[in-house]
Amino acid sequence: MEKIVSLCKRRGFIFQSSEIYGGLNGLWDYGPLGVELKRNVKNHWWRVMVHERDDVVGMDGSILMNRAVWKASGHEETFSDPMVDCRTCKARLRADQLTDKKGALQCPNCGSKDLTEARPFNLMFKTYVGATEDESSITYLRPETAQSIFVQFKNILEVSRKKLPFGIAQIGKAFRNEINPRNFTFRSREFEQMELEYFCRPEQGMELLEYWKDERLKFYENIGILRDKLHVRTVPDDERAFYSKGTYDIEYDFPFGRQELEGVAYRTDYDLSQHQKASGKSLEYFDEETKQRFIPHVVEPSAGVDRTVLALICEAYSEDQAADEKGKMETRLVLRFHPRVAPVKCGVFPLLKNNPQLVAKAKEIVDLLRPHMTVFYDESGAIGRRYRRQDEIGTPFGITVDFETLGEKDPSLRDTVTLRERDSMKQERVKISDLIHLLSVRIA
Ligand code: ATP
C-alpha cells in the first residue's frame, strides 16, 4: 500500500488536501491524472447505467437540503457510529474497533482498559443556512446522494413519464464525519457516490436485487477488476437495516483486506413512505392498467467513486522485468489500467527531438488523435525512458515517429508509425491513417 500511495503522489493521481498546511485528516485532492481516472469511472458508470438504458434517467441534486429531509429519512436520529473515549491516551475510537483481550476491551493505541461507555456520534456535518446561526437554520451536508432522488421522485416521474420498473441515477459528493478515516482514500470524510434508485412493484424486489447485483459485478469486470478479486457478501439479518429485505455488499481484495466497494440493497418502500408521511405529499404511483395506487419499492446499487478508483489503482499496480536501452534487465513499474479507464490513452514520441521533420509529424499525429482521446506528447529523453514514464501512469499505447515514418529508407513505410502496447510491450507497424480506428476500438 505504501508504494501505491507514494506513486499516487509522485505521478499526480492523489494528494493530501491542504498539504502545505499539514493536510486535514480524511480529505484528499485528485491531481491531473487522478481526475482523469475518476472522470472515466464516472462516465462509464453513467454510460451503462443511464445512456445505454431505456428505463433509467439521471438527476443532479443539491448538497444542502431542507433539514426535514434528514429527519424523515432517519439520518438525524440514527446515522451514527457508537464511540468510546480512552481516558488514558484520550483517543476517540469506534466501539467496533476496540481490541478484545480475553473478553476485556482495550484501547488499540495504548492498551488501556479505562474506557468510557459507548455513545452515538452522528456522522453528518452540521451547518447553518443564512445569516443566523440558530436551531431554525441548521442543516447538514448530505451523507448520501439517495435522499434527493427520493424527494424528487414525483417530479421526475411526471416529467419522464416512465412506467415501473424504472430508475433514477445520480453521481455526486457526499460527506461523513468519519471517526477514523483510514486506508488512504478508502474511508474519507468527503467522497463521491454513484447511486441508482430503481423503483419497482413489491413483487419484483427480490428478483431485481439479484439482477442488480449481477449487473454491478459486470461493471467492475468491464473496467478491469478481476472477478476473482470481487466477492459478494450477503449481509446477515442482524446487520441489515430493519426495512431492508435483502442486501449484498460487493467487496474487493484491497492490499489492506477485503472491503466494501458497493452496497446493493432492497429497501422496500421505506424511503418513499417516510417522505410521504413527513411531507404530507403523495409519493404514490398510479398504475393505469390495474388502476392501483401504491408506493413503489426500491432496489439501490450504491457505489463509491473513490473506492472504485482506489481498487483500480491497486488492481493495476505491478512490477515486472524489462530490458533497458542497453538490453540490461531492470524492474519496470507499470499500471495495467484497462484502456477504458486509463487517464492517458496514448503517448506520442518523435524519435529525436532535434529533428524538425520528426517533431512536426509527431505533432500532426497529436492533433489527429486529440479530438478522440487523451494524448500525451513527449520528446525528452531516450525513447525507452519515455515508454517507462507512460507505463508508470498506465498509458496503454505509445506511438513512435521514426525515420521510416518519413519514408527515408523504404518509401512503402512512409506515413507508418510504431504502435507499442504497454502490457506485452509488443510493437507493430501501422499506418497513420488507421490509428484513429485502431485505437478507438481498443479503448471503447
Ligand atoms: P462502510 O461500512 O464502509 O462505512 P457503508 O456501508 O456505510 O460503508 P453505504 O452507506 O452503503 O456505505 O454507502 C455506499 C457506498 O459509498 C459505499 O459502498 C462506499 O463505496 C461509499 N462510501 C461510504 N462511506 C465512504 C467513505 N467514508 N469514504 C469513501 N467512500 C465511502
Side-chain angles (χ1 to χ4, degrees), residues 39-243:
R39 247 167 204 272
N40 292 341
V41 167
K42 291 190 281 186
N43 287 347
H44 190 64
W45 188 91
W46 199 261
R47 180 169 126 194
V48 300
M49 301 294 273
V50 185
H51 289 172
E52 289 181 358
R53 302 186 65 105
D54 236 3
D55 56 350
V56 176
V57 292
M59 73 164 281
D60 186 20
S62 65
I63 284 168
L64 299 175
M65 288 192 277
N66 191 314
R67 183 183 182 179
V69 172
W70 306 111
K71 287 187 196 255
S73 67
H75 282 86
E76 193 169 275
E77 194 63 39
T78 60
F79 193 64
S80 54
D81 277 345
M83 212 180 54
V84 161
D85 286 336
C86 170
R87 290 198 184 91
T88 310
C89 74
K90 310 290 179 218
R92 180 154 282 182
L93 310 153
R94 251 169 62 172
D96 61 358
Q97 286 166 357
L98 298 175
T99 329
D100 191 342
K101 272 254 168 86
K102 294 182 192 139
L105 294 177
Q106 284 189 349
C107 169
N109 291 345
C110 70
S112 166
K113 295 191 185 98
D114 191 7
L115 307 167
T116 63
E117 286 294 306
R119 281 173 286 120
F121 172 79
N122 197 297
L123 297 180
M124 288 195 295
F125 283 98
K126 196 185 261 181
T127 189
Y128 299 92
V129 176
T132 45
E133 292 195 0
D134 61 19
E135 184 66 19
S136 67
S137 60
I138 289 177
T139 194
Y140 305 95
L141 302 191
R142 66 180 181 195
E144 59 175 38
T145 68
Q147 295 305 321
S148 53
I149 298 182
F150 295 129
V151 301
Q152 290 295 358
F153 169 74
K154 209 56 191 250
N155 277 335
I156 294 177
L157 177 65
E158 269 163 27
V159 298
S160 66
R161 298 169 58 222
K162 292 283 176 209
K163 303 264 178 286
L164 289 182
F166 79 96
I168 305 175
Q170 176 167 213
I171 299 179
K173 288 265 185 175
F175 303 81
R176 297 184 188 178
N177 198 1
E178 298 280 358
I179 299 163
N180 238 330
R182 64 184 180 285
N183 292 332
F184 200 20
T185 56
F186 179 83
R187 188 173 298 288
S188 323
R189 289 184 164 137
E190 175 176 341
F191 52 96
E192 270 185 284
Q193 290 185 314
M194 308 181 278
E195 295 196 297
L196 170 71
E197 303 303 324
Y198 196 75
F199 300 98
C200 63
R201 293 166 199 287
E203 62 275 17
Q204 297 171 308
M206 290 312 278
E207 201 181 304
L208 284 168
L209 175 66
E210 296 303 314
Y211 168 80
W212 280 111
K213 182 246 302 161
D214 295 339
E215 284 298 297
R216 299 302 305 144
L217 284 168
K218 271 189 240 161
F219 170 85
Y220 291 108
E221 284 184 76
N222 286 337
I223 55 173
I225 297 186
L226 277 183
R227 182 63 185 84
D228 289 356
K229 295 256 196 79
L230 293 165
H231 305 277
V232 177
R233 186 174 86 99
T234 306
V235 178
D237 293 354
D238 59 336
E239 277 181 46
R240 222 167 47 219
F242 69 90
Y243 48 78

Side-chain angles (χ1 to χ4, degrees), residues 348-419:
V348 181
F349 320 111
L351 189 62
L352 299 173
K353 76 167 171 191
N354 52 11
N355 180 301
Q357 279 170 296
L358 290 177
V359 168
K361 202 75 194 167
K363 289 192 170 162
E364 236 175 69
I365 294 174
V366 169
D367 291 340
L368 176 78
L369 296 180
R370 203 154 254 164
H372 305 272
M373 65 197 74
T374 45
V375 183
F376 188 84
Y377 173 81
D378 189 1
E379 57 178 27
S380 63
I383 197 77
R385 287 274 133 238
R386 287 183 257 168
Y387 285 151
R388 291 290 180 278
R389 285 202 287 265
Q390 292 306 307
D391 289 344
E392 218 182 54
I393 62 165
T395 305
F397 304 104
I399 290 169
T400 306
V401 174
D402 53 23
F403 292 104
E404 285 177 340
T405 313
L406 306 178
E408 285 188 2
K409 288 185 194 150
D410 177 353
S412 74
L413 291 178
R414 180 186 294 278
D415 285 333
T416 64
V417 288
T418 310
L419 179 64

